[in-house]
Amino acid sequence: MSTENMIEVDHLTKFYGDYPAISDVSFTAAKGEILGFLGPNAAGKTTTMRILTGFMPPTSGTARIAGHDVVTESLEARKRIGYLPETVPLYTDMTVKSYLAFMGTIRGMDSKAIRRRTGDVVQICHLEDYYNSIVGKLSKGFRQRLGIAQAILHEPDVLVLDEPTIGIDPIQVVETRQLIKGLGGEHTVILSTHILPEVSMICQRVIILHEGEVIAVDRPERLAERLEATERILLEVRGPTNQVAKAIRDISGVQDVTYGEEGGKVVYNVTCRRSEDMRAQIARTVVEHGWQLMRLESVTMSLEEIFLRLTAAEGV
């Protein structure tokens, strides 16, 4: 991945009257990166995206898309953006083919480029079977795909996707996530969502917004490392439960051992100091006692736990 930044946001603030929708927001996104915008409703995600796409100006601060300021060079910045708002802007009386041709025309593309790119995006978004279908007859999932198709039609440097999987069925959610993941590398993608697993599945880095402020920017796994001073190990052992728990608890560096049934099997949750890798010692203890070791794995905090820990630290 190139280190060239396609998005540069510096101390961005937006007031609605006396209410700060976002306050002092700063971040960058590199070329080809998929960046997740995570936060509950009213956290400031959509406001930030509307500023980046030229929909509204900030109260203060700056934002640049591929080197172009979104306020002073608005047209140049917008040429380099593909945008999928939460409500997809579709003309339901058009066919898929005519809609894409229309969107290419208003983007300033010539007829040859429109024909070439329409074929490309229809294939990328798996719309081949619906090319001549009326947009109003498409399912919600295929409307989302068509929304993504229009967003990438003009080969933008940056894609801004606001809640792209909201309101579609589980199968279409999986397919849409795979589609978005495949767009990384060719495009820099900002993905706004309040669905925690979506960030883990798609995004390389996550920005967590809370009450209009950035409270964390990092890879999901590194957020866990920063917040946890301990490591957790899941263990499945065939042996006398109380004796297994006591033997593991007696290992130097182990802080706590709990256990419970999972699918008819006893699973031990072992908490250790993060500074030491206890897996080899735990395995050796189990084997020396003549018990059968069926499972041994380190587990990190889930994104849900990270989010709750961070927002709690902010006083929520």
Side-chain angles (χ1 to χ4, degrees):
M1 182 188 298
S2 168
T3 57
E4 178 186 357
N5 287 326
M6 283 288 111
I7 303 171
E8 297 172 301
V9 174
D10 191 33
H11 301 293
L12 211 59
T13 297
K14 178 66 178 180
F15 278 88
Y16 296 123
D18 294 329
Y19 174 73
I22 57 171
S23 180
D24 202 32
V25 169
S26 297
F27 64 90
T28 62
K31 185 175 182 179
E33 183 176 19
I34 302 179
L35 184 66
F37 248 40
L38 178 63
N41 292 329
K45 304 186 301 295
T46 295
T47 295
T48 305
M49 289 187 157
R50 287 177 174 174
I51 292 171
L52 290 177
T53 54
F55 184 83
M56 64 171 65
T59 303
S60 62
T62 60
R64 301 176 72 84
I65 302 294
H68 298 281
D69 189 283
V70 299
V71 175
T72 61
E73 303 171 275
S74 180
L75 285 177
E76 288 302 315
R78 279 186 276 173
K79 286 178 184 177
R80 291 160 175 81
I81 292 176
Y83 182 35
L84 178 69
E86 186 174 341
T87 302
V88 185
L90 300 175
Y91 293 95
T92 55
D93 57 340
M94 288 183 169
T95 64
V96 168
K97 176 182 177 180
S98 61
Y99 172 74
L100 290 173
F102 171 71
M103 294 303 292
T105 300
I106 64 174
R107 281 285 187 182
M109 299 169 65
D110 61 41
S111 58
K112 184 178 179 180
I114 290 173
R115 285 194 301 272
R116 176 181 61 83
R117 282 298 292 164
T118 297
D120 290 344
V121 301
V122 162
Q123 187 173 26
I124 291 168
C125 297
H126 305 294
L127 290 164
E128 300 96 324
D129 293 340
Y130 301 91
Y131 191 49
N132 293 305
S133 298
I134 300 295
V135 171
K137 295 183 178 180
L138 297 179
S139 69
K140 180 71 185 297
F142 279 99
R143 292 188 188 198
Q144 290 294 97
R145 293 189 192 191
L146 183 55
I148 294 172
Q150 65 80 25
I152 64 175
L153 185 65
H154 58 298
E155 301 180 270
D157 294 311
V158 173
L159 280 177
V160 179
L161 310 177
D162 193 358
E163 301 281 4
T165 62
I166 195 166
I168 59 179
D169 69 48
I171 293 175
Q172 292 171 333
V173 166
V174 171
E175 292 172 347
T176 302
R177 286 174 180 167
Q178 290 172 342
L179 170 59
I180 294 168
K181 194 168 184 178
L183 295 172
E186 292 294 323
H187 310 270
T188 299
V189 181
I190 288 190
L191 168 72
S192 164
T193 184
H194 64 275
I195 303 170
L196 296 166
E198 197 149 81
V199 174
S200 297
M201 293 174 187
I202 300 175
C203 303
Q204 295 152 328
R205 278 196 306 142
V206 56
I207 296 175
I208 298 181
L209 283 176
H210 180 59
E211 295 184 348
E213 297 184 0
V214 174
I215 59 174
V217 182
D218 215 329
R219 293 180 177 273
E221 64 272 18
R222 290 186 59 185
L223 286 172
E225 290 174 5
R226 284 165 47 186
L227 289 171
E228 280 192 319
T230 59
E231 179 181 17
R232 288 180 295 165
I233 295 172
L234 288 183
L235 192 67
E236 184 186 328
V237 177
R238 288 182 181 173
T241 304
N242 291 333
Q243 292 180 39
V244 172
K246 182 181 184 306
I248 296 170
R249 196 176 283 118
D250 288 343
I251 298 171
S252 177
V254 171
Q255 296 180 335
D256 190 28
V257 179
T258 60
Y259 55 85
E261 281 202 10
E262 185 180 297
K265 302 170 184 176
V266 177
V267 175
Y268 301 84
N269 195 323
V270 183
T271 304
C272 314
R273 289 193 295 264
R274 177 167 283 281
S275 58
E276 301 176 39
D277 189 343
M278 305 297 299
R279 289 173 296 177
Q281 197 168 346
I282 290 170
R284 186 164 53 249
T285 298
V286 170
V287 172
E288 286 175 351
H289 280 81
W291 302 320
Q292 290 181 294
L293 179 61
M294 309 303 294
R295 175 185 176 192
L296 177 64
E297 63 175 303
S298 295
V299 293
T300 59
M301 293 176 70
S302 69
L303 203 52
E304 287 90 342
E305 291 174 300
I306 293 169
F307 182 76
L308 290 171
R309 184 82 65 87
L310 285 168
T311 53
E314 293 292 313
V316 174

